[in-house]
Amino acid sequence: MTSMPVESPPKRATLRHRLFRTLSGEYFWLYLLLLPSLLILVAVILIPMLFAFQMSLGNTSIVVLGGRGTISNQWVGLQNYLSLLQNPSFWQALRETLYFWVVSIFIEVTVGIGMAVLMNQSFFGRRIFRVIVFIPWAIPTVVNAMLWGMIFDGDNFGALNDLLLQWHVIQSPIVWLNPSALFPQIPWLSNALSYLGSNLAMNSIIVGDEWKTLPIVAILVLAGLQTIPHEYYEAARVEGASAWRQFRQITLPLIAPVLTVVLILRTMQLMRAFTLIFTLEQFGLPVLSIQAYQQAFSFGSFGMGSAVSFLIGLIALVIAYFYIKRLYREEL
Amino acid sequence: MRNKWTKVLMSAMSASLLLTGASSAAMAKAKAAPQPVVLKVLYMSQQGYSTAVLNKMGAEFHKEHPNVTIEFTYLPYPQLHSAILTSAAAPVAQYDVVLSDLIWTGEFAAKGYTVALNNYIRQYIKNPKGIPQSVWNGLSVGGKVMAMPFLANFQNFYYNKKMLAEAGFKSGPKTMAQWLHQMQVLKAKHIVQYPYEDSWLQAEGLVCDYVRTAGEFGNGNLFNAKGQPIMNQGAALKALEWMRMLYKDGLANPNSLAADEPTAANAFASGQAAFNTNWTFVTGIMNNKSESKIVGQGVVSGFPVAPGTNRATLSASISGFQGLAIAANTPASLKPWAWKWIQFATSPAVQAQHLHSEWPIWSSVATSPQEKHLNPWYKVYQQNLNAVYNRPAVSNYLTVSSIIQQYVHEAIGGTIPVKTAANDMVQQIESLPK
């Protein structure tokens, strides 16, 4: 019995062949058209991200040697991360960031959906109402910050104080932007709230931020609402379902995908919220993004600043993972 | 025929000689003409030496040196430091000349972000003593002058004479006890709800006010000669107790804890406060009809001080000097031009043209008849300029400052007791890596 000599092609050739087939086959144009976007993403996101990660593992500082500026990076491993985790001010910043996120998301989910449901009803002037609601979103963040700075001015002539004083709601002006403890007359509650990151300035800033971002949440949810067929509601009404039951069993499940996207988007934004807080408080309300900026650009410790940034990203990713898991429970 | 060819040849040779001569002359001329230079200058968007004033200075410089164009970048103060840092990280500086605040002097010298200007000053500044020594000190470290003085900013004590007269006082306070008494009377008589407003927002302005207040109690130096922090003793501790007391007793507006300098100035100019301790820009605001409700009522004065202290000056102010510095990674070919621009902008002649905008750094200009005519408070200005205390000149100043800001803010607001705040502040600063 003679065996037929079988020549197997070398492995490298197979890989090359497969790659060639993939790139030249039906996906050729797909890859070609994607290439510019991919290159841009690699250049402006992936490479800087890897560079920042490398910095987070080093004692990074800016030096000028022989008339040329450069970045010196001395490898320290996870030391920046460990120092942060051992620093009480990092944990306070984390609690403040999480408080900012939880309260903002709660407002957006409740009031945002409420506004969207309202805008989805038929009433006179609905279109004008929708346009007016959307205006705050169009205002630049820094302008919004300056605006709320004037509203929350702690002097008598601050817009909010002036109004409340005229209406005799308050006896003397309130310093809305001072991070003072809430309910000082109830020490245990005041201490607990301060520990959780809640103070007067934080809550004032949440109001200013929500005024600007609620419209976009409402508009996105409204878009989701408009995809729900009216027949579902008619059938539910025939079956005698109450308005609350219709909302709970028809509206909410059907807008869940849109809501999840909104929540992920807003979580990312809230975790790195910076402009409004920095414009109004500078370093007085050190949420994580402010801490990252301060470490990098005030103290010149780019390694530590990068480490804080990566921790922010990690926290946001964990939260986003749970959102997605809840949405597609069966798939994950 | 031969003649004809000779003529043609001669003409060709003459033409070529002419052309060669002309082109050599053109080349020589081009060689002599200076190359066009673009100098990138980083400056702060602010009142006083505003963008308009700087643009004008740039245009005047361009007239003197037509080959040099100044390209300004104006940023708000909180963004200046990070812009200088990122520029220093580049192989070639993004900004050739930067506005350097005195608090960055130690850091820039230690990390080599800007170059020492001693050689330039020795060679080109004929009369360095014409600038007060306190200004040089603020912008120097270890004998190295890191920036040429440009802005002689410092704080003045402002009071509303109409309110004081209503309360029965003929003049402003000279001592801390008198100041306290005046505030108490103003409040008791309901002339003003909060007699004083200051900029105690958790930012750099708070450190300025803390240092100055410590100075009013006799010593505005927060570190001793050995470089150890001393906020938990002596004048610095008294200053913290004083600030807390003003807040607790309702003599300082609670809004101070959220106010920056312009906010505090507005409170004074709108008649909401009888006293303000602030930078020199308030002098312009309080007498500007479009911004002020107290035109003619504001007085610029020396600071009240604790008895027996600050005997030489009878005041205690805080410096906010700023200078023009050359970035270390500016190309060598541009550095002479960078210095020329600095020399021009800081010269007595140029500063004399802009007396409306800022208090000049040169004593000769500050005492000129023109300044005396423009600024009736010039003697007080000189008194306060000579009485300045500087913030600590340490290489990690911004880290130290952030610790001071946090604890002073919390101590004033009463979140933590004054003594605990002072001790914690010292302990945390001492634990910083050297």
Side-chain angles (χ1 to χ4, degrees), chain A residues 173-239:
Chain A
I174 293 172
V175 188
W176 301 99
L177 292 174
N178 181 26
S180 54
L182 298 167
F183 308 111
Q185 64 279 22
I186 313 170
W188 69 266
L189 181 63
S190 175
N191 291 340
L193 287 172
S194 295
Y195 179 81
L196 293 172
S198 175
N199 55 53
L200 187 57
M202 175 63 85
N203 290 300
S204 304
I205 283 173
I206 288 174
V207 171
D209 188 51
E210 286 312 307
W211 183 80
K212 180 173 161 54
T213 49
L214 260 178
I216 189 70
V217 174
I219 293 288
L220 288 170
V221 174
L222 177 64
L225 283 176
Q226 288 179 339
T227 62
I228 304 173
H230 283 287
E231 291 79 12
Y232 291 6
Y233 293 104
E234 282 163 18
R237 271 196 292 273
V238 170
E239 295 292 328

Side-chain angles (χ1 to χ4, degrees), chain B residues 161-176:
Chain B
K161 65 180 179 189
K162 186 168 171 269
M163 285 183 185
L164 258 62
E166 281 174 35
F169 300 107
K170 286 178 183 166
S171 65
K174 298 285 176 218
T175 67
M176 298 300 268

Side-chain angles (χ1 to χ4, degrees), chain B residues 343-354:
Chain B
Q343 197 185 350
F344 173 84
T346 59
S347 65
V350 171
Q351 295 225 325
Q353 290 171 29
H354 301 283

